[in-house]
Amino acid sequence: SRVFQVESTATDVSITGVTSRSPITITGGSLTTADADGGGILISGATNLTLVHASVVSNSVADGDGGGVFAQAGTITLVAGTVAGNQAPAGFGGGVYVVNGSVVVRDNSHVDGNSALNIGGIGVNAGPSASANAVQILNGSSASGNSSTATVDAAAGNYGGGGVAVQGAGSVYVSRSQVSGNHTNGMYSAGILVTLGDVTVTNGSRINGNVNRG
């Protein structure tokens, strides 16, 4: 089973640890049934989820999306936390996947070392709009070392994607942070993919060492 499930009637949910050295740890979620999403945390509706001093690690979905965190809608905010080592080997978003909404990774947070068939790190199917940020990585944070295994298969909707990908409308903003060392076999960029929107990289950020074959 998954660790946490948040139903659609919830508006705002926070999970808070003590400090970065003494976090809440969400781990061991494992879903083996077909089309089951969110190994660590599932957000069923438009809930804003805030994870402060929280570690979402080593969760998996065998045949779904969002190995660590899956949200149908809303904003997922990670503050001084970690999403690492999560897997979605047959789906999208090894670390975090949001169908309609946004993701904020800030204040020394890390979405690192996750894997999926498509979009190993952070995936957003559709953000608020082309001019609004679907993904923000801020203040010493990272989306690094993530990987995907899919080669290009248009009929199946598989295009790969490593660190960060926004498949619909939405922009990406990276400040004082890095998107590095991500890997994909597909066409979607190993670093950052934006389909309809902008990418802003500023304040000494690094986008480097990403590898794709498409």
Side-chain angles (χ1 to χ4, degrees):
S1 65
R2 68 178 56 88
V3 182
F4 282 104
Q5 181 162 331
V6 179
E7 296 297 338
S8 58
T9 52
T11 304
D12 295 282
V13 171
S14 296
I15 300 173
T16 304
V18 179
T19 66
S20 295
R21 293 186 177 183
S22 183
I24 291 285
T25 300
I26 300 165
T27 186
S30 177
L31 299 177
T32 58
T33 55
D35 298 321
D37 303 317
I41 302 172
L42 172 71
I43 305 296
S44 298
T47 302
N48 297 317
L49 172 67
T50 303
L51 301 171
V52 182
H53 301 313
S55 296
V56 182
V57 296
S58 300
N59 302 283
S60 65
V61 289
D63 186 34
D65 303 327
V69 181
F70 175 91
Q72 191 65 40
T75 298
I76 307 298
T77 303
L78 186 66
V79 182
T82 301
V83 177
N86 302 286
Q87 300 179 21
F92 289 79
V96 179
Y97 193 74
V98 178
V99 178
N100 290 287
S102 57
V103 178
V104 180
V105 180
R106 65 181 180 87
D107 302 342
N108 199 34
S109 292
H110 304 284
V111 182
D112 297 346
N114 303 283
S115 63
L117 180 67
N118 294 287
I119 311 173
I122 302 168
V124 175
N125 179 63
S129 68
S131 60
N133 291 319
V135 178
Q136 299 178 68
I137 304 175
L138 312 170
N139 301 330
S141 299
S142 66
S144 299
N146 302 288
S147 63
S148 69
T149 58
T151 55
V152 178
D153 185 345
N158 295 329
Y159 296 96
V164 177
V166 182
Q167 297 165 276
S171 297
V172 173
Y173 187 90
V174 183
S175 175
R176 292 181 55 223
S177 298
Q178 62 178 330
V179 179
S180 303
N182 300 287
H183 179 271
T184 180
N185 294 317
M187 183 178 74
Y188 280 177
S189 171
I192 298 172
L193 167 85
V194 168
T195 304
L196 182 63
D198 301 317
V199 176
T200 301
V201 180
T202 187
N203 292 332
S205 296
R206 291 185 292 140
I207 316 295
N208 65 313
N210 302 290
V211 178
N212 69 300
R213 296 180 179 177

